[in-house]
């Protein structure tokens, strides 16, 4: 059997590789998944957003919480809390929320701007907008008198 890290039975160390790769690449992946979920809502993008970080986050959580006798050591609870804040919160959840939120905000602002330009009489910010159920005919305004030819 080939030896890895000096021992022949340390195959579980391969599970740690995604944990270390998640530190630089995880925020980028999660931000992209947040954008994908915002652009294409549905079950599969959300499921992918949960399943993709599952391996690195679960393996790192197991490494932080085991061995169980380390919980009696002073400061271990603080270490686990810091792990949860940084690794789970800052590297995994926050980039997803930022990607999702910025994409939704951008789409909302673009739609609002497009709606205001496309139909100015029905824009929500227009005080002269026709109320719902009112007739859509506008009151007639008299046209200005045409100037005689040659005069201004």
């Amino acid at each position: 059997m080939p030896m890895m890290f000096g021992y022949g039975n340390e195959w579980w160390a391969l599970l740690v590789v995604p944990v270390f790769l998640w530190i630089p690449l995880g925020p980028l992946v999660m931000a992209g998944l947040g954008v994908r979920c915002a652009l294409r809502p549905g079950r599969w993008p959300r499921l992918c957003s949960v399943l993709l970080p599952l391996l690195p986050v679960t393996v790192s959580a197991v490494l932080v919480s085991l061995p169980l006798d380390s919980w009696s050591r002073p400061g271990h609870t603080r270490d686990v809390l810091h792990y949860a804040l940084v690794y789970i919160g800052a590297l995994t959840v926050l980039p997803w929320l930022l990607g999702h939120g910025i994409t939704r905000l951008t789409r909302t602002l673009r739609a609002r701007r497009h709606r205001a330009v496309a139909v100015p009489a029905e824009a929500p910010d227009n005080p002269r907008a026709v109320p719902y159920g009112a007739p859509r005919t506008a009151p007639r305004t008299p046209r200005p008198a045409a100037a005689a030819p040659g005069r201004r």
Side-chain angles (χ1 to χ4, degrees):
M1 173 177 249
M3 293 178 58
M4 181 177 10
F5 304 111
Y7 301 100
N9 60 353
E10 296 292 332
W11 61 267
W12 61 268
L14 287 176
L15 295 175
V16 180
V17 172
V19 172
F20 292 123
L21 287 176
W22 192 253
I23 294 170
L25 301 177
L28 300 174
V29 170
M30 290 307 292
L33 286 173
V35 169
R36 182 175 177 221
C37 285
L39 293 177
R40 199 175 285 212
R43 178 182 300 163
W44 295 113
R46 307 259 166 144
L47 187 64
C48 192
S49 292
V50 171
L51 293 179
L52 189 70
L54 196 61
L55 176 70
V57 171
T58 304
V59 170
S60 63
V62 167
L63 292 175
V64 166
S65 61
L66 291 180
L68 294 177
D69 60 350
S70 66
W71 284 88
S72 62
R73 182 174 51 89
H76 185 71
T77 307
R78 186 184 69 235
D79 293 343
V80 172
L81 177 66
H82 289 163
Y83 156 78
L85 289 175
V86 172
Y87 201 84
I88 296 173
L91 295 179
T92 306
V93 176
L94 184 64
W96 188 94
L97 290 174
L98 286 174
H100 189 268
I102 290 171
T103 304
R104 294 282 304 246
L105 181 68
T106 303
R107 287 184 74 185
T108 302
L109 292 176
R110 283 182 183 168
R112 188 175 292 167
R113 187 176 346 134
H114 177 71
R115 197 171 44 233
V117 170
V119 188
E122 295 179 6
D125 298 324
N126 189 351
R128 298 183 330 176
V130 178
Y132 181 74
R136 296 262 183 210
T137 58
R140 293 185 175 238
T141 56
R143 288 186 175 178
R151 286 190 172 184
R152 283 195 170 176

